[in-house]
Amino acid sequence: MHYALWAVQVLLAGLFLLAGGTKFSIAPQELTAQSSLPAWFLYFIGLAELAGALGLLLPGLLGIRPGLTPLAAAGLLLIMIGATVTTAREMGLATALLPFVTGLLTAFVAYGRWKLAPLASQRRR
């Protein structure tokens, strides 16, 4: 379980680093043309995605505050719930499948690192 969680964490961190970084590399007019949300909110979401991506990896890699990993995954889950609802409303249910699946994966990491294979227990072995 430990290795499966790490694999999902690395994939999700890459996805959220890319998504968050993209929000900062696009001009505000272009960013808001793709969504009905204001630019400042999309920048906030991008910052939260970048912080969440770091929270998925750094506590486990550095062994500092490993309890932050399930919290980072839970925060990203909240973002993905909002993304699923917004995407379904604006683009349809079929398009909302990607944020929905990403949300399921973040829920898996949050629960897995909280109950199934906490990082703190891995350090004690």
Side-chain angles (χ1 to χ4, degrees), residues 15-32 34 38-54 79:
L15 174 74
F16 285 111
L17 283 173
L18 180 67
T22 301
K23 287 179 180 64
F24 286 101
S25 66
I26 295 176
Q29 299 83 8
E30 205 174 320
L31 191 62
T32 55
Q34 299 172 4
W40 67 267
F41 187 70
L42 293 172
Y43 284 129
F44 171 74
I45 294 295
L47 186 63
E49 288 172 340
L50 291 172
L54 295 176
I79 291 172

Side-chain angles (χ1 to χ4, degrees), residues 6 9-10 12-14 17 49-70 72-73 76 109 113 119-120 123:
W6 265 115
Q9 283 174 241
V10 169
L12 286 173
L17 283 173
E49 288 172 340
L50 291 172
L54 295 176
L56 288 176
L57 295 179
L58 292 180
L61 292 175
L62 301 177
I64 300 171
R65 304 239 185 229
L68 292 177
T69 297
L76 290 170
V109 171
R113 287 300 181 201
L119 288 169
R123 299 291 281 167

Side-chain angles (χ1 to χ4, degrees), residues 10 12 16 23 44 68 70-71 81 89 95 99 101 108 114-115 123 125:
V10 169
L12 286 173
F16 285 111
K23 287 179 180 64
F44 171 74
L68 292 177
L71 292 176
I81 290 170
R89 188 185 73 220
T95 311
V101 170
F108 169 67
W114 181 47
K115 288 288 189 184
R123 299 291 281 167
R125 287 183 185 176

